Amino acid sequence: MRIRIVVVDDFGVVRDGLRLLLDAEADIETVGEAETFQEAVQTVHELQPDVVLLDLLMHERVTIDGIPAEPRGKPRGVAELIAIAVDLGRKARPDLMVGICGEHGGDPASIAYCHSRKLNYVSCSPFRVPVARLAAAHAALRTQATARDK
């Protein structure tokens, strides 16, 4: 079985290069690509790939777009892609380990959102670890408080 991938990047030359590298692998097939977050959401809905290779720092945004201020808010943009990926991935494999890696892993809003989506981990650069740990603790405490209030 081949792994079906959608490539999302705002630079065509990057998408082309990634497509060449990925398609050279016997067990990988690039089934689609997108230039913007909006195109990515539509493409992922239509093609339902196994993997989305996504540049989070595209020129149209400077941070993860679509992370709702309240984790229970409706996700859009990259947050919507995360929701789709987690839901479809865990539908196919309930024990799937899911996480994010990069500077967004140290952003408190991103951490709260990832916690609300039940991601298993976030990873970030060492200088962001203290903030990330504090944000993860806050997210866990909010979840416990909400459960206790019900």
Side-chain angles (χ1 to χ4, degrees):
M1 185 171 104
R2 296 180 81 183
I3 299 168
R4 301 172 67 249
I5 296 180
V6 168
V7 177
V8 183
D9 197 289
D10 51 344
F11 292 106
V13 68
V14 174
R15 290 191 312 274
D16 292 344
L18 287 170
R19 180 183 286 273
L20 285 172
L21 288 171
L22 294 168
D23 288 346
E25 299 296 321
D27 59 346
I28 295 176
E29 176 185 12
T30 306
V31 294
E33 61 182 59
E35 184 175 354
T36 66
F37 291 127
Q38 187 173 5
E39 285 177 24
V41 170
Q42 181 178 350
T43 301
V44 168
H45 273 297
E46 289 173 7
L47 300 177
Q48 297 193 359
D50 302 309
V51 174
V52 177
L53 185 58
L54 174 68
D55 176 7
L56 291 178
L57 292 176
M58 296 195 302
H59 71 271
E60 69 177 286
R61 308 282 191 259
V62 287
T63 61
I64 290 184
D65 180 52
I67 301 294
E70 281 295 316
R72 290 174 294 289
K74 178 167 175 23
R76 57 183 173 68
V78 174
E80 186 174 2
L81 290 174
I82 291 170
I84 293 167
V86 171
D87 292 347
L88 291 176
R90 292 214 171 118
K91 185 176 180 183
R93 274 189 52 200
D95 62 339
L96 182 68
M97 297 289 287
V98 182
I100 65 169
C101 180
E103 293 310 300
H104 304 293
D107 174 62
S110 298
I111 291 168
Y113 181 73
C114 291
H115 182 78
S116 75
R117 298 299 311 171
K118 298 186 179 9
L119 271 66
N120 301 93
Y121 67 89
V122 297
S123 175
C124 61
S125 61
F127 78 93
R128 297 189 77 141
V129 168
V131 170
R133 291 183 74 175
L134 185 59
H138 283 178
L141 289 171
R142 275 192 298 275
T143 299
Q144 287 177 356
T146 302
R148 193 176 45 237
D149 293 343
K150 287 183 178 184

